[in-house]
Amino acid sequence: MKFPLSLCLLPLILAGCATKNTTTEWSGDEVVVRGRDFYINGRFVGQAKTHDQKGAAVQMSTSGLIPPDKYFVVTPHRDSFDSRYALVGLIDRKALIGKAYPVL
């Protein structure tokens, strides 16, 4: 599966990605959704939008524990299309192709 440009993991890299996310949550962590706000283990990580940039309604992901070999990815960018949305959801470990390292 090809992922949108805003859907790569930090410090892990997904096949088909050109950028990376800033928050990666691991299996066993708890995702809690309150309204449109997302929390991981009690820490606020972002808010989901009700519609995409073109005005189409988007469905949010749900609360629960992250299962083994799955990852919840999110970035603070307000237009990030990430694990907060059901279409993306949790990322399977098999989609990871490597680790990203800063070059500066």
Side-chain angles (χ1 to χ4, degrees), residues 25-30 65-72:
E25 307 305 336
W26 312 100
S27 61
D29 287 346
E30 182 182 27
L65 288 179
I66 301 173
D69 296 322
K70 298 285 185 178
Y71 300 88
F72 184 95

Side-chain angles (χ1 to χ4, degrees), residues 23-32 38-41 43 45 61-74 83 89-93:
T23 303
T24 306
E25 307 305 336
W26 312 100
S27 61
D29 287 346
E30 182 182 27
V31 178
V32 174
F38 279 74
Y39 298 84
I40 305 292
N41 299 330
R43 179 177 50 90
V45 294
S61 292
T62 58
S63 296
L65 288 179
I66 301 173
D69 296 322
K70 298 285 185 178
Y71 300 88
F72 184 95
V73 295
V74 65
S83 291
L90 298 173
I91 305 300
D92 192 87
R93 185 169 195 250

Side-chain angles (χ1 to χ4, degrees), residues 19-88:
T19 62
K20 53 197 167 291
N21 279 5
T22 57
T23 303
T24 306
E25 307 305 336
W26 312 100
S27 61
D29 287 346
E30 182 182 27
V31 178
V32 174
V33 182
R34 292 187 197 125
R36 294 184 304 124
D37 294 341
F38 279 74
Y39 298 84
I40 305 292
N41 299 330
R43 179 177 50 90
F44 177 77
V45 294
Q47 187 175 75
K49 292 185 169 191
T50 57
H51 293 79
D52 66 18
Q53 291 176 325
K54 295 181 180 179
V58 291
Q59 183 180 356
M60 294 187 319
S61 292
T62 58
S63 296
L65 288 179
I66 301 173
D69 296 322
K70 298 285 185 178
Y71 300 88
F72 184 95
V73 295
V74 65
T75 183
H77 190 282
R78 66 179 219 193
D79 292 327
S80 176
F81 186 60
D82 53 32
S83 291
R84 291 174 285 183
Y85 301 97
L87 188 59
V88 175

Side-chain angles (χ1 to χ4, degrees), residues 1 3 7-17 24-26 69-73 90-99:
M1 173 179 193
F3 291 95
L7 225 188
C8 286
L9 300 171
L10 177 66
L12 305 172
I13 301 172
L14 288 170
C17 290
T24 306
E25 307 305 336
W26 312 100
D69 296 322
K70 298 285 185 178
Y71 300 88
F72 184 95
V73 295
L90 298 173
I91 305 300
D92 192 87
R93 185 169 195 250
K94 293 177 184 177
L96 304 177
I97 60 169
K99 246 183 158 175

